Amino acid sequence: MKVISLVGARPQFVKEALVGEAARRLNAWQHVLVHSGQHYDANMSDIFFEELGIPRPDYHLGIGSGSHAQMTAAALTGMEDILLKERPDALMVYGDTNTTLAGALAAAKLHLPVIHVEAGIRMLPKTMPEEINRVLTDRISAVMCCCSELGRRNLAAEGLTVGVSVTGDVMYDLFLRMQPRFTPEATCAAMSLRPGEFVLATLHRDYNVDTPASLRGMLEGLAAVQEELGFAVLLPLHPRTRKRAEEFGVTGLLERLRTCAPVGYLEVMSLASAARFVISDSGGLQKEAYYAGKRCAVMMPDTGWRELVECGWNTLCAPEQKSIVQAASHIMEPLACPEGIYGDGRAAESIISAVIRMPFARA
Ligand code: UD1
């Protein structure tokens, strides 16, 4: 059996590291890797391949940045060519990016089964590009692998019950595997940060950073956490956020924080492990903070990882100063960490079993 696995953006590299490795180790199928090129800067892409030991992609589409239609269209036509040439038994896609939707659509139109890893996440606003991508991808997938029971329930509410498995989260597998390589003390020392006395922040979500008022509100909130609560705030800057801050004339606010270039997996997890808590609008980091035993203020109106909010570990906040300071004051307090929400660290193997159980799978 041959499976093409499609990646393009940071969170997908992290997931591919585990699933691709397990497929090769278990000899489950011939695993062909395609990189769409949605993320292309060295510290948004290459560093993940190097750190996580992901083999060089077999194909690179080089789609780069552009409007949603331009990116999706470039990946759609590029993937169609590859699928026609390779004739795989299935296409595997991860998460909710434009790359994911484009690949799924190209495969479904060629009547190739789509395997969706991280299926069944739902969150408001429905207009968010990632929400559109994940709803449409689930709709045309043959195999849907959910990180938790919540994913299965969300899919069932939409009438999707066939081909659905709860496999756990591969990002938890990766966390357990890579934890011995985290270097919280050394990373802090290199950045002149004191473990337990700083906050790790990230922001890149389009509805947060593309609007001057919310970008300003978030940066004012982070500056207030630093100045009122007395924690240094470290903000690795996504290229989109840096560009918008320049466009909107708010770089003065950035200067009040500790900023650095985007960091790879080992560095971000070393920082999360050493931080007092995390403030982020990243879908991945809010869950990885939990794996590292850190609470997270989630700068989103809603989250797909609702379990972590319902049990009181994470808290949602609005892109404005008061809400961010309030959330930060709340999560400063320690809490007993709930366990076992996203599997047992063997999600990659569960995903492989879910795929090889499907009728299309053949030796
Ligand atoms: C994308 C995903 C998002 C995921 C995030 C992880 C979509 C719709 N969104 O968001 O779900 O959480 O990746 O990082 O697919 N840029 C560079 N260099 C790069 C990549 C991007 O400069 O290597 C800049 C470009 O100006 C680009 C902008 O960042 O236009 C946004 O990149 P894009 O891939 O469109 O969205 P992300 O915000 O990264």
Side-chain angles (χ1 to χ4, degrees):
M1 174 157 98
K2 186 196 279 186
V3 174
I4 294 192
S5 179
L6 173 64
V7 295
R10 289 188 300 187
Q12 294 160 340
F13 308 143
V14 175
K15 290 158 202 158
E16 166 65 23
L18 258 286
V19 180
E21 187 277 329
R24 289 184 195 94
R25 174 167 41 85
L26 301 172
N27 245 325
W29 53 68
Q30 183 192 347
H31 194 79
V32 177
L33 182 60
V34 181
H35 188 329
S36 72
Q38 177 171 343
H39 285 174
Y40 44 86
D41 287 347
N43 57 5
M44 298 286 286
S45 176
D46 302 356
I47 186 171
F48 292 88
F49 280 74
E50 287 154 19
E51 283 185 350
L52 304 175
I54 308 170
R56 257 178 91 85
D58 299 284
Y59 295 90
H60 198 295
L61 295 174
I63 67 166
S65 299
S67 69
H68 285 279
Q70 286 163 344
M71 287 159 84
T72 312
L76 183 64
T77 47
M79 276 312 290
E80 187 180 57
D81 290 344
I82 294 173
L83 294 169
L84 286 171
K85 177 165 171 251
E86 289 283 341
R87 304 213 156 273
D89 296 278
L91 174 76
M92 178 173 276
V93 290
Y94 303 90
D96 55 20
T97 66
N98 292 334
T99 294
T100 298
L101 175 62
L105 198 50
K109 290 286 180 79
L110 293 171
H111 307 295
L112 289 170
V114 175
I115 304 156
H116 189 200
V117 174
E118 211 181 81
I121 311 293
R122 294 293 179 268
M123 78 183 82
L124 299 171
K126 279 190 179 304
T127 50
M128 173 181 184
E130 289 81 4
E131 183 68 6
I132 298 168
N133 293 341
R134 59 174 87 89
V135 169
L136 296 180
T137 301
D138 282 334
R139 199 68 197 82
I140 54 177
S141 290
V143 181
M144 286 154 271
C145 300
C146 305
C147 297
S148 70
E149 278 300 330
L150 178 61
R152 190 206 293 277
R153 286 203 300 276
N154 288 339
L155 291 172
E158 294 172 14
L160 298 173
T161 51
V162 177
V164 177
S165 306
V166 177
T167 54
D169 179 18
V170 282
M171 287 167 80
Y172 182 46
D173 302 18
L174 189 70
F175 174 84
L176 294 176
R177 182 174 304 187
M178 301 297 263
Q179 197 175 24
R181 287 175 59 194
F182 300 164
T183 52
E185 281 87 19
T187 305
C188 285
M191 292 187 156
S192 310
L193 292 164
R194 291 152 76 111
E197 292 179 24
F198 74 95
V199 174
L200 173 65
T202 75
L203 60 125
H204 75 279
R205 202 55 62 203
D206 66 345
Y207 55 66
N208 277 336
V209 305
D210 291 356
T211 315
S214 58
L215 181 56
R216 173 179 285 278
M218 286 184 304
L219 294 177
E220 284 170 349
L222 295 179
V225 168
Q226 184 161 279
E227 289 149 20
E228 290 171 28
L229 303 184
F231 295 111
V233 174
L234 176 73
L235 177 68
L237 262 187
H238 189 288
R240 172 182 209 125
T241 310
R242 182 175 38 75
K243 284 179 199 162
R244 293 292 182 258
E246 284 161 10
E247 247 174 80
F248 302 155
V250 294
T251 48
L253 282 169
L254 286 178
E255 281 156 22
R256 285 162 64 187
L257 307 169
R258 299 276 310 266
T259 59
C260 65
V263 290
Y265 179 79
L266 290 173
E267 201 171 356
V268 82
M269 291 313 300
S270 297
L271 289 166
S273 307
R276 175 72 171 262
F277 57 89
V278 175
I279 304 180
S280 181
D281 66 3
S282 153
L285 189 59
Q286 59 186 275
K287 191 155 38 71
E288 289 170 315
Y290 156 68
Y291 297 149
K294 300 301 152 98
R295 300 177 73 183
C296 181
V298 179
M299 290 188 289
M300 298 171 88
D302 189 14
T303 172
W305 313 113
R306 218 164 282 155
E307 306 98 333
L308 290 176
V309 173
E310 279 163 9
C311 71
W313 186 255
N314 285 351
T315 185
L316 298 177
C317 62
E320 51 183 53
Q321 180 171 335
K322 199 170 152 216
S323 177
I324 292 170
V325 174
Q326 238 170 27
S329 313
H330 178 66
I331 59 167
M332 268 166 66
E333 304 305 328
L335 191 75
C337 190
E339 277 177 38
I341 301 179
Y342 299 109
D344 60 0
R346 294 175 52 81
E349 285 81 0
S350 303
I351 290 168
I352 307 266
S353 326
V355 173
I356 58 185
R357 276 200 312 267
M358 293 307 289
F360 62 77
R362 56 177 165 81

